[in-house]
Amino acid sequence: MLFQLRMATNLGLIQNLYFSLYPEKDHLKDFEKVMQTLPKLFASRPNELKEQDAERLQGENWYQSEKMVGMQLYVEQFNRDLKGLHDKISYFKELGVNFLHVMPITTRPKGENDGGYAVNSYDKVDPRYGTKKDLLALTSELRKQNIYLMLDFVVNHTSNEYPWAKKAKQGDKKYQKYYYTFEEDTIPKEFEKTLPEVFPQTSPGNFTYIPEMEKWVMTVFNSYQWDLNYTNPTVFLEMLTNLVNMVNLGVDVVRFDALAFLWKRMGTISQNLPEAHTLVSLFRMCLQVVAPGTIFLAEAIVAPTQIIKYFGENHTRGNECEIAYNASLMALLWNSIATKKTGLLYKSMANVPSKPKDCTWINYIRCHDDIGLGYEDQFIWEMGWNPQQHRKFLLDYYCQRLDWSPATGLIFMYNPKTGDGRITGSAASLLGLEKGLKQKDEALIAQSIAKIILLHGIVLAFGGIPMLYAGDEIGTLNDYSFLKEKAKKEDGRWVNRPKQDWHVIETIDKSPDPQAEIFRTLKKLIYIRKSDPVFADHSLPNLYHTGNHHVLVFERKGKDNEGLIVLCNFDENPQVVEPSWIKKLGYFTKGEPKDLVSGNTIKTKSGLLELLPYQMLWLKKS
Ligand code: GLC
């Protein structure tokens, strides 16, 4: 009954979206197939999940709650396999994590496979992780423990070993049409004129010649990742089935991987095209009918004005993704650390259009990927910097080209043709802990701990879901072991995909080590966040200018006029802020407020509010 109701409500929209991609006059039959498939997909959804869907439709937006704290992890690096992950649920409970992004676990090619993002299937568990039974046992336990699960849906490409790719290689024309295949390189060459390169060092160009099939195939990412051809409606239908099969395993959030790339058009960069949005919305609305409790995360690491569009606008408003990565904030925080100034952050954030009220961000500082320097040139100019030189400075600062820099990062995908490059490395290493420990420099160690807390504190308070990257909660350093592995050594992102150090965690409660201090402080901050609805994502953060270029100040407001003000010092020297305006906002009604982070009452003896180097204050309105 509920299914019919949802179908009736969404049919018009689904139809419009579908026919705008696949014109009605040619594709009526294809649309009928979608209509026949949806009830079958619904029938295949386990009852327990159907009940959960119904509950979620009644309740508030669970993903905007202050209770949400995420962690991203690779199963094999975290604790062996799915059973091993199951065994560590108590660890998440202890830290306060209730949302897991589990990196790809399905079958993939034996050699290079982009950490599982080259998929050989969408629902077969790779034996290295265990079995489907293990996965179902895990998802069922996570549900019991109120822990949400996010898995990737690698929607843009399959591996070159996926059954469709294999058939295409054998000459099967039907499956060659599932990808962008070309007999000659004329069209590929035309495309190349405007297509950027994602991995210019390891996988230059966007097409690969496949001798078995005597054809070129589009491979925007790695040469072994074949781009799916969504102009073919059968691809959409088959991928919808793959999506639902995956979601039915007990997935709460689908991470729509590389969704900006879903539609290609010659003469463009083939990212963020309107058809890509229509397609995302079409997937979304079909899922709304079959599994409405499941939501979408946009993995679109693009310009802020483009990211925001994945929340849906115009005809897809509210009907694309509920969550998106706040990649802009992430990159701007790294810029602020290197420059010790917050101006670019203020300028850029002021330019990000507000998000719709039912949507939220994932705020994070590190993940399994690199850090791109995608700031708007115009704002860099306005800061008085030359964009090209400024990006070079950031690469130099983070990638060991400046002796005085505390950072130990690696340069990633340096493109000599353009001078562009990206940064990789663990949060702790990029923030100076690796160098501090190596040089036994206590001051540097203390400074790096303060920076680690500062950045995590910001993402915990900014509004949205904070996503920790496993290992960062214990200050894990770069892991250079990938250099010895053939299938990994060319991809520097592996430097930040370390094994979880359970030895460190065993003694974490008592240890005086930096790792333990980081863990204990983050655990406390998570606890504070989860205990106070002011951290829920019901309002946009308000950024305040203080006149001090090293400081970032923002305020969060609760539903009933509660307030939290966050003050951050990005400088290595103490900084002051004139506090009368904070007083006017109502933060001093009971005298000098207590900083929730340190537990100390703040002092404004001199009339100015003082921030220690890299200090962050959380002040509650009293
Ligand atoms: C996403 C993933 C990245 C992967 C790419 C291709 O950007 O985060 O790790 O390489 O998609 O699947």
Side-chain angles (χ1 to χ4, degrees), residues 166-458:
K166 279 190 179 162
K167 287 187 188 138
K169 277 192 264 185
Q170 287 156 8
D172 191 327
K173 294 267 177 312
K174 173 177 170 193
Y175 290 99
Q176 289 181 354
K177 288 195 190 120
Y178 277 40
Y179 301 96
Y180 293 94
T181 52
F182 305 96
E183 261 164 42
E184 291 168 16
D185 64 356
T186 339
I187 297 176
K189 275 189 180 146
E190 235 359 84
F191 261 110
E192 288 291 11
K193 287 185 184 159
T194 49
L195 281 180
E197 293 173 305
V198 179
F199 297 129
Q201 265 182 347
T202 48
S203 193
N206 290 277
F207 295 85
T208 305
Y209 185 71
I210 309 295
E212 295 106 299
M213 115 179 139
E214 295 181 346
K215 279 190 174 167
W216 294 84
V217 66
M218 185 182 260
T219 52
V220 168
F221 287 82
N222 289 294
S223 55
Y224 50 85
Q225 288 164 310
W226 291 19
D227 287 65
L228 286 164
N229 177 4
Y230 281 98
T231 63
N232 177 350
T234 315
V235 171
F236 167 71
L237 184 59
E238 296 236 30
M239 287 301 281
L240 178 65
T241 307
N242 282 335
L243 172 66
V244 175
N245 289 343
M246 189 191 100
V247 158
N248 282 350
L249 298 168
V251 175
D252 303 291
V253 184
V254 177
R255 181 182 181 274
F256 242 55
D257 181 66
L259 83 180
F261 296 79
L262 284 182
W263 202 269
K264 334 284 186 204
R265 187 178 314 120
M266 219 190 281
T268 72
I269 62 166
S270 295
Q271 287 181 40
N272 309 311
L273 291 176
E275 291 87 345
H277 286 279
T278 307
L279 192 56
V280 174
S281 188
L282 184 58
F283 274 116
R284 179 73 200 94
M285 296 327 288
C286 290
L287 208 65
Q288 185 65 20
V289 173
V290 177
T294 314
I295 59 171
F296 275 18
L297 161 73
E299 194 261 333
I301 313 302
V302 292
T305 42
Q306 292 294 344
I307 296 182
I308 205 94
K309 294 186 182 167
Y310 289 93
F311 290 134
E313 56 171 12
N314 306 325
H315 69 299
T316 65
R317 177 167 290 279
N319 291 332
E320 283 193 45
C321 299
E322 286 80 357
I323 315 180
Y325 279 115
N326 202 344
S328 326
L329 178 68
M330 180 277 295
L332 289 160
L333 289 174
W334 289 104
N335 179 72
S336 304
I337 288 286
T339 58
K340 307 186 180 88
K341 293 197 178 76
T342 53
L344 190 63
L345 195 154
Y346 275 99
K347 272 183 196 300
S348 312
M349 293 314 280
N351 192 50
V352 179
S354 332
K355 66 175 174 61
K357 89 173 199 333
D358 287 323
C359 297
T360 199
W361 295 111
I362 278 190
N363 291 315
Y364 65 113
I365 60 169
R366 285 301 288 119
C367 69
H368 68 296
D369 281 329
D370 48 290
I371 302 170
L373 308 178
Y375 318 103
E376 302 267 349
D377 281 358
Q378 179 204 336
F379 299 134
I380 305 183
W381 283 118
E382 286 176 23
M383 290 295 296
W385 301 326
N386 169 308
Q388 210 184 348
Q389 284 167 17
H390 184 62
R391 290 201 178 85
K392 180 175 181 310
F393 160 72
L394 293 174
L395 290 179
D396 290 351
Y397 175 92
Y398 281 115
C399 305
Q400 307 178 56
R401 291 162 161 183
L402 296 173
D403 287 342
W404 55 267
S405 165
T408 314
L410 300 183
I411 197 159
F412 180 68
M413 292 295 150
Y414 181 68
N415 189 344
K417 283 186 254 170
T418 58
D420 291 342
R422 284 122 72 182
I423 298 161
T424 178
S426 80
S429 291
L430 291 172
L431 293 172
L433 188 59
E434 183 166 338
K435 195 165 180 183
L437 290 171
K438 202 161 154 197
Q439 300 182 347
K440 300 199 170 53
D441 181 337
E442 289 301 325
L444 187 52
I445 294 173
Q447 192 186 69
S448 72
I449 296 174
K451 287 181 187 172
I452 293 170
I453 304 302
L454 171 73
L455 294 194
H456 279 99
I458 294 172

Side-chain angles (χ1 to χ4, degrees), residues 101 244 443 456 491 516 620:
H101 173 201
V244 175
H456 279 99
D491 188 343
K620 259 311 281 288

